[in-house]
Every structure is written in structure tokens, then in C-alpha cells.
Amino acid sequence: MKYFSVQLGIAFSLLLLITFNSNAQITYADSLSIQLEATVVSSPASITLTWPADGHASNFKIYRKLKTGATWTLLTTTTNTATQYIDATAIANVLYDYKIYMTPALGLGKFGYLSSGINVIANSNRGIAIVVIENSFISNTVFQTAINLLLTDLENDGWYPKAVYVNKTDAVTSVKSQIVLKYNEDVTNTKLLLLLGNVPVPYSGFNNPDGHTDHRGAWPTDAYYADINGAWTDATVNDVTSANSKNHNIPGDGKYDQDQIPSLVELQVGRIDLSNLPITTKTEEQLLLNYLNKLHRFKTKQIIVQERALIDEGDFTTMTEGFAQNGFINFSGLVGRTNIVVNDYFTQLSYNTSTSGTYLWSFGCGGGTYTGSNGIGTSSNFASDSLSSVFTMLFGSYYGDWDNQNAFLRMPLTQGNTLTNAWAGRPNWHFYHMAMGENIGYSEKLTQNNSSLYQTNSIYGFFPQVKSINLMGDPSLRNSYILAPTNLNIVAGGVTNSLSWTGVPLVDGYNIYRRYSTSTVFVKLNTSLVTATTYTDNTMPTGGTVYYYVKSVKKKISPSGSFDNESLGIKSSAALVTVSVTENNSDLSFAISPNPSNGIFNIVTTQAFYNYDICDNLGRIIFTGTSSQFDINSYANGVYYVKIKLKNEIVIKKIIKNN
């Protein structure tokens, strides 16, 4: 690995290597990073960015954009001694991205990034998740139970899962065609792709991202599955020079030509593949069951780790690219600067030894092989140790090519608490948004699609949108979870349904979501947090079977900002709730007149009513009123329903609007 930078002519001044310690940075990679944090104030609203002093600075440029924005706006240029900036124009409940660039007076310029917001309100309708399951073990009821729990946890977190079963011998084109079919069922809402088991591995490319000439060719490329409409070809690359025959790539062999993803990917994608790891002495099925068990335990807050991060640069301490900046830049916003520890990757205490020795994140790098990394460890270390960090990154030669026996990149998922891993260094990964409640798949997709919007340092030009950007683990994972309520009960009352549940201590309140059995969309019912442990839903707009989900909410103050952190939902456990939007009152003393009408209707009754909703034939509320006359002349002809709210009941009347 270390020879690659020399081959590409990127040799930096020894002066930089000698003097970076004068700025009190911990390591050389640290000296290439701006560790950005934020504190937020609600009233008057402001976001204060802070960063360490840097004696090499000429000035600092502060940029901002909306989270999903495509361009940066320069907010200010500070002095060379600045260590903070107050953004007094920030608005509560809006997510922003910040970028800071240090213009150097000496050495390299460098970047810092942060996602921030003030009291960002949760609304967890996350989208459709396609779950592709390799079917070797589905006949085992224990394994099928674990899969069902995985799908349930996805649903309770606001994802609507759609399962697809494939064979490990299927062609990747066959697997992708099933993914595309599911995607095309709802192109707007389908967001995530989880590959579970030994799902066939796509290969693509000609280059060697780790710089070794004996490792040139096609590498594993799950982006092929996530890119719905890109042009992937198998016609031009013809190379068999790699020492590993899996990397050989010739026209028509089923391996693709592209070194870069040919178009922006549509799906977040992650892989849980624990096949061909005999060094663990466990079967693939046992490893998958173990992973799914700890995945559920983390999402339900049965695994608790300290919000700290560990960095080990192995034998890459002076590499010009400063690979460990992947850790320093990301970890400052995720766990805070003072919670970043530089130590040996495999001397951290396991979770089974002490919760005080645990880490939420870790990063390790060093010259590598398929099964190890210099100064970090080997696959056998993972087979025998239970590391505590839930999210990790590793970088070194060869093992970014992870479809091999006892593959070092997949091994962390077999033991301890580790649930995700990524080959992070060429390019750098961008996990900033997880500090504000996003799932890791969002970061993976952003990294795959990024070319220049999120830079890192002056040598960033390496490998934008490269084939080797792959996430090992569940892409739906978030940085933190809280305990969910329990014992959800529903008393069905037609158009009015009463919910009650057992609460959770030390939370701010609860959010209530509703989903029709025929829909993939989760609708948040409450506009402000519910602080009681009961809720009445009297807004049912149409007939059908519905599910309710109640989630605990606790405001999370992270080193990046503040947001509503939600638990998984507790789903209605009562019989399915069915409501009707047909007329439910034939009392002649209560009428709508004239009916039919050209648009103007009168409520004729001697009874007192509070208000009413007008719903269309699909059950959508189009109008709410309180007076005895209403006008829907601007709406199309057809059947509508008036839901009139009395003191002790709701009367539903059908009306017909025509000209």
C-alpha cells in the first residue's frame, strides 16, 4: 500500500511531517483533519461551530447548505486564530450541513464537516427496504424466526420491508432483475437494499484501488445492485494479471468493465455475508444467527456501549494520505473530540469484559493482506476476540477485496458487538449525518454518489464513486437507540380508536404512527409529543385495516446538534383494526341538504356538533369546517363523506357532488 502514493507522484514535504506536532495534534492524520463540533441554542436560535486552533492556518472559510442541497454557500471567512463561528441565521427543525476549509499558511489545506440542527423533529417514514435473502437456511425454523424478527425490526423503525429470496448460484443479472422489479413497484419510496447471506457477488473494473499491480482487475461491487439504471457493460476489459483469479476480467465473463459507478445509485446498500469464514470454527448459519441476534439487541438497547471512538493507524502513521482522517473528521461530530482515543485496535476491552472499555466507533489501518492488517491484527484475532465497537472502519492493502476465504473486512461482523465495517480511505467515507439520527446506509449512498461535494484534503482526488465502496452490515442501523414502550392495546371503535401502552422512564414523550395494511407509508398522527400513555385516533379517513406504532422519544444532544431520537415502535398487538367510511347514521333528524348538490351543502339538524371533516372517496380529508354550510364546488364531481363530530359519537353521511 505505501508504495502507491509514490507511484502516483504524491510525495509531500518533510517539513509537514516534522512540524505537524507543533499544533498539538495527536497523529499526522489528525493534522490533516478539522475536528468540527457544534452546540445549539433554541431561543434565539443559533448553531455554534467549534474547532481546534491551528498554527498553520491563514484563515478559515465557513460554508453551509441544506442537508440535501447540492451547492455550498460561503457564510464567512475568519481570521487565522479563529476557533468558532456562530450561525445566528439557523432555523429550528431544519437540518444543515457545514463545511470548514482551512486555507494554509504552511503545508496542506484541510476540511471539516458536520451535519447539525436545532431540535429536529422526528418523522420516521423511512421508505421501502428490499431485503434479498440467500435461501440456504430458510427451511430451518430458527433461522426463519430470526429473519422474521429482522423484518419486524425494520418495520418498527419506519421501513416497509419487502423480502426477495435468491440462490447463491444465481447469476448476478438474475438477482438484480428481482431487485429492479421490487424497486419499480414504488420508485419514489424504495430507498434501501439489504443483502443477507451468500447473495451472489457482482464484480467490476480494471484498476487496483490499493495500488498493487498484482491486484488489478475486477473487485466485489455491490453498487451494481444499488444502481438501478446505470449502464454496466462486460465488453472491453481484458486482463488476467492479478495473482487472484477472482480479479481476472475478460469480455463476456459476467464481470463488468466499470471502475466507477456509471450513474448515481438509487438505493442504500449493505451486505451481511458470513460465508466461507472457516477460521471462526462456526458454520455460516451459526454466524448469521449470531449477527441477527446482536443486531436486534443493539436496536432494542440491550447492548450499551460508551459514546467513544478508537483510532489505530497501524504502520500507516506517516502515510501522505493520512487515512485515519476518516476517523478524526467523522468521530468529532459523532462522539466528540475529547472522546477520541488513539490506542491499539485489539487491546480495547471486549464488551463481555467491561462496559467501561467499550467504544461506539473505531478505525484501523495498516499495510494488509486478504486476512490481516499490519499493526492492527489478523482474521484470527477477530475469531478469538469480542471487540466492543459497533461501527468500525478498516483500511489497508488487499482486504478491500472482501469476497475471499476468512476475509478480513467481513470478519469483524462475526464477533463482539461489531455490526458494520467499511474499507475507508480511498475514498474517505462521510458518516456525519448519523450524529443527527440518520442511518448508516444514508452515509454509504452519499459516499458512493459523492464526487466533489464533500471533499477532505488536497489529495481527495483518489477514487470518487469507485467500485470498491461497499458496506458490510445492516444499512438501516442508526448511531443510537432508546427503549421502546411495551404492551400496546387498542380498543377499536370504528372511526375512533383508543390506544394505551406501558411507558418508558426518562423519555420526553411518544410519537404515534399509523399504516394501512394496503400501504407502505407510515403516517405520523401527533403534531407534538404525546406525554401521556394513551392516545385517541379519531381521524380515520377511510375504511380498511390499519396498524399502529408507538415510539418513545428522547431529545438527543450530540456533539453535532439536537434531534428527537426515537425507539423502535411497538406495534398494535390486538386484532387488526377495521373501520368503515359508509354511512353509520340513518336518523332522519340529521341530514345533508341538498344531496346531490352542485357543491354547496347544508347540515340540517337539531343536534349540536363540534366540527366535521369532508373526505373524498379514497378517504383523504379535503376540507374541515365548523359552520352549518360548506362549499366543495372547486372539487371534482363524485362521492364524498361528511364525518360530523358530536359529543359522544361521530356521524358519517355520504354526499354526492355533481353539476
Side-chain angles (χ1 to χ4, degrees), residues 189-238:
N189 292 311
T190 306
K191 307 291 185 183
L192 184 135
L193 174 62
L194 170 56
L195 309 172
L196 178 63
N198 191 13
V199 174
V201 179
Y203 275 74
S204 188
F206 171 69
N207 74 12
N208 45 334
D210 62 2
H212 290 274
T213 56
D214 65 347
H215 198 197
R216 187 173 65 188
W219 283 31
T221 311
D222 281 340
Y224 166 77
Y225 289 139
D227 181 15
I228 298 299
N229 53 24
W232 296 79
T233 61
D234 179 16
T236 59
V237 173
N238 191 350

Side-chain angles (χ1 to χ4, degrees), residues 581-602:
V581 186
T582 57
E583 288 186 287
N584 68 354
N585 189 302
S586 58
D587 188 345
L588 295 179
S589 68
F590 208 120
I592 307 292
S593 178
N595 188 17
S597 166
N598 64 357
I600 298 176
F601 295 85
N602 296 285

Side-chain angles (χ1 to χ4, degrees), residues 27 30 91 128 184 212 215 354 385 425 464 608:
T27 72
D30 181 19
I91 300 171
I128 296 169
N184 285 337
H212 290 274
H215 198 197
S354 169
D385 202 348

Side-chain angles (χ1 to χ4, degrees), residues 25-89:
Q25 276 99 7
I26 303 170
T27 72
Y28 170 62
D30 181 19
S31 76
L32 298 179
S33 314
I34 299 179
Q35 294 178 36
L36 197 56
E37 294 185 39
T39 55
V40 300
V41 176
S42 301
S43 182
S46 68
I47 297 175
T48 300
L49 308 178
T50 62
W51 60 92
D54 195 319
H56 290 161
S58 174
N59 59 51
F60 295 91
K61 296 182 184 298
I62 313 296
Y63 299 84
R64 190 184 76 179
K65 68 179 185 67
L66 293 177
K67 174 186 173 184
T68 56
T71 57
W72 295 96
T73 298
L74 178 64
L75 297 178
T76 191
T77 300
T78 73
T79 65
N80 63 333
T81 59
T83 57
Q84 76 167 28
Y85 171 75
I86 300 175
D87 182 4
T89 66

Side-chain angles (χ1 to χ4, degrees), residues 51 124 134 383:
W51 60 92
S124 298
E134 194 273 306

Side-chain angles (χ1 to χ4, degrees), residues 110-186:
K110 54 187 178 182
F111 292 86
Y113 287 93
L114 202 71
S115 174
S116 187
I118 307 165
N119 297 340
V120 178
I121 298 172
N123 194 344
S124 298
N125 179 46
R126 302 185 189 279
I128 296 169
I130 303 172
V131 184
V132 179
I133 304 165
E134 194 273 306
N135 62 14
S136 289
F137 311 114
I138 60 172
S139 60
N140 183 332
T141 56
V142 174
F143 189 77
Q144 190 60 56
T145 297
I147 290 175
N148 291 339
L149 184 58
L150 167 69
L151 300 178
T152 297
D153 284 351
L154 285 169
E155 179 184 348
N156 287 339
D157 202 20
W159 298 97
Y160 184 85
K162 293 183 177 181
V164 174
Y165 290 88
V166 300
N167 301 307
K168 60 185 173 183
T169 56
D170 288 345
V172 297
T173 50
S174 173
V175 176
K176 184 166 183 176
S177 67
Q178 294 191 64
I179 293 170
V180 172
L181 282 173
K182 287 295 181 185
Y183 176 81
N184 285 337
E185 290 176 359
D186 189 341

